[in-house]
Amino acid sequence: MAPSVTRPPGPPTLGERWQHMTNWSASPSPNRIGVLFVVPSLRRGGAETQLVQLVSAIDRRQFEPHVLTFEAGLDQQEMLRIAPERVVSRPRRHKADFSAIGIARDLIDRQGLAVVHTTLPTATLRGWVGARLSRRRPGVVAAVHAMEYMSFQARLLGAVVTDRILARCAHVIFVCRAQERTWLNRLPRLAGRSSVIYNGIDSHHFSPSPYRASVPETRRAWAVPDGAFIACCIAGLRREKGHDTLFHAFARVRELGHEGVLVLAGDGVLAEPLRRLAKNLGLEGHVRFLGEVNDVRPVLAASDISVMASYSETFSMAILESLAMGVPVIGTKIGGTPEVIRDGITGLLVSQANAAELGDAMVRLARDPVERREMGRRGRVVVGEEFSAASMVASTERLLLETATRDPCA
């Protein structure tokens, strides 16, 4: 798809933008298409970040966005550029709380909304049923961000409920071609009603230039020795992110005589087990646990490479952010990662769960700062040309317009 001019989201214009809202009194605009965006929460995750970016940048001359969340977590609340009366946040009280269905239904009818956009399966369930129960019965566009259902419970719910709902949506959005192939093999009924819209990044926001001057200060704060190599990993500390393989690979880097520091930006259930693993591998003092980082740009600006050792990945926002910041990425050959990392051009691809191969790739880039810089330069160009936020928004707008102006699927 052809790239268009990036529209940076800019700073929010309202101070207290998010509250638990029940005021739906604002009258719908007769000249704009009302869209209800349903997302579980606004936590800092890839799917949620894409939704926030979409809502913030959608053309207000053509669309009137409303947002409904039903789980706790509004970490990205201030990034939404939307009138507060058009946001409803009603955290569910327990897992079987489906009150968001009724809220979606009432909001659709009160505001005269013409299309529903859902993010993640739990939102698709609530958004689709709410749309079917409404008088207007708008079409539903479902954005799927996972390569597959991760847990047994999710697989069971998917087979019984979610798959059937997806088959009845007006359109389904996938975030990479590998993901679309996987889902169409399992749900061939989606053929002809699915599209790939890559996750997009705002290259103006993720620009290395404003952060170069602060790199020496950042290195001192991390107690990085002069001349040491810095590898960062931007990922939650969860099993599927492959930190255990990354730690063994980094131990190999040090065994081969390369002075370096591994910086982890993210938190999760594996924080303490990984600290113990670092100690067991002799990496204590060479790994920096930063915890949850609200703004990863200073981290990336100070890093020589970014590493994603994932065992399961659909299409990583962290990879896009790294490349946009001019940082080459080493990633595993899974999901949509080979669709964004050009092996030997913008980074390196390695087999998953292969610490020796990953360690050798890290050594290669540790030895060659010229290759790192050239890979980073090319990566930033690729992101701007092929994975821009503007392209993502424009493609989604076209789908919303098509869905709003045709009869919804049965």
Side-chain angles (χ1 to χ4, degrees):
M1 69 187 94
S4 53
V5 178
T6 302
R7 294 174 292 175
T13 57
L14 299 174
E16 295 290 329
R17 191 178 302 282
W18 273 73
Q19 301 174 26
H20 294 312
M21 293 293 172
T22 56
N23 177 14
W24 301 339
S25 60
S27 300
S29 169
N31 300 319
R32 291 185 289 171
I33 296 170
V35 184
L36 176 60
F37 292 93
V38 186
V39 61
S41 75
L42 294 177
R43 298 189 186 100
R44 295 188 185 278
E48 294 84 356
T49 297
Q50 284 297 286
L51 186 279
V52 168
Q53 191 165 233
L54 173 61
V55 173
S56 299
I58 197 168
D59 188 353
R60 295 301 200 276
R61 296 166 299 181
Q62 191 169 27
F63 298 96
E64 184 178 82
H66 299 248
V67 175
L68 169 62
T69 72
F70 51 87
E71 291 181 0
L74 299 174
D75 300 352
Q76 302 188 75
Q77 58 185 11
E78 292 190 355
M79 295 300 293
L80 277 178
R81 295 194 296 170
I82 182 173
E85 65 268 20
R86 304 204 185 281
V87 177
V88 177
S89 177
R90 190 72 60 81
R92 59 181 177 173
R93 297 180 296 275
H94 46 77
K95 287 187 176 181
D97 182 355
F98 291 96
S99 58
I101 291 174
I103 296 173
R105 175 202 61 204
D106 294 344
L107 186 53
I108 289 166
D109 286 335
R110 294 189 191 194
Q111 296 296 335
L113 305 183
V115 61
V116 176
H117 178 286
T118 66
T119 299
L120 300 176
T122 55
T124 298
L125 168 61
R126 289 162 172 80
W128 185 85
V129 176
R132 296 297 292 177
L133 293 177
S134 71
R135 294 189 303 272
R136 296 183 61 86
R137 294 174 67 124
V140 177
V141 174
V144 179
H145 288 262
M147 186 65 70
E148 59 185 358
Y149 298 121
M150 297 298 294
S151 66
F152 172 77
Q153 182 181 12
R155 288 193 294 273
L156 181 61
L157 181 63
V160 176
V161 178
T162 311
D163 287 355
R164 298 183 182 187
I165 289 177
L166 286 174
R168 289 167 172 79
C169 287
H171 209 88
V172 177
I173 297 173
F174 297 106
V175 297
C176 66
R177 301 199 181 283
Q179 180 200 23
E180 184 183 45
R181 288 193 298 270
T182 298
W183 279 84
L184 289 183
N185 285 338
R186 196 166 57 81
L187 283 177
R189 290 173 293 174
L190 298 181
R193 290 189 295 106
S194 69
S195 298
V196 172
I197 300 179
Y198 283 116
N199 289 340
I201 202 82
D202 180 1
S203 294
H204 295 310
H205 181 71
F206 283 92
S207 172
S209 300
Y211 300 93
R212 288 185 178 126
S214 64
V215 168
E217 181 182 351
T218 303
R219 291 177 65 95
R220 286 194 296 272
W222 294 342
V224 178
D226 291 341
F229 173 77
I230 299 179
C232 74
C233 178
I234 313 294
L237 304 185
R238 305 187 301 273
R239 182 192 175 280
E240 69 269 18
K241 296 301 181 179
H243 290 89
D244 52 345
T245 297
L246 174 58
F247 276 36
H248 283 91
F250 188 63
R252 178 178 176 83
V253 172
R254 291 192 51 77
E255 288 169 3
L256 294 175
H258 293 277
E259 181 71 18
V261 171
L262 178 61
V263 176
L264 307 181
D267 205 351
V269 295
L270 294 184
E272 287 308 313
L274 287 174
R275 289 180 189 277
R276 291 194 295 270
L277 179 60
K279 183 176 181 179
N280 293 338
L281 292 174
L283 297 178
E284 199 173 29
H286 303 286
V287 181
R288 307 290 183 264
F289 290 83
L290 303 186
E292 196 67 40
V293 176
N294 292 334
D295 186 354
V296 299
R297 291 173 294 179
V299 176
L300 289 167
S303 300
D304 295 297
I305 64 168
S306 178
V307 184
M308 290 294 291
S310 304
Y311 305 142
S312 175
E313 196 75 60
T314 305
F315 195 85
S316 169
M317 287 298 297
I319 290 177
L320 289 182
E321 292 167 355
S322 300
L323 294 177
M325 289 290 292
V327 181
V329 183
I330 301 175
T332 46
K333 302 172 186 176
I334 58 171
T337 299
E339 297 174 43
V340 62
I341 296 178
R342 311 295 156 79
D343 193 27
I345 298 174
T346 64
L348 299 173
L349 292 169
V350 299
S351 303
Q352 67 183 87
N354 191 324
E357 189 177 343
L358 177 57
D360 289 345
M362 295 174 72
V363 167
R364 169 178 166 177
L365 295 186
R367 287 174 173 169
D368 196 338
V370 174
E371 183 178 32
R372 292 199 308 263
R373 287 194 295 269
E374 185 59 20
M375 282 183 171
R377 184 193 66 79
R378 290 191 294 252
R380 181 162 168 76
V381 171
V382 167
V383 168
E385 291 179 347
E386 301 181 30
F387 303 102
S388 72
S391 292
M392 182 272 291
V393 172
S395 297
T396 307
E397 286 176 341
R398 285 193 292 271
L399 272 182
L400 294 176
L401 178 60
E402 291 172 7
T403 302
T405 54
R406 70 171 184 244
D407 291 336
C409 292

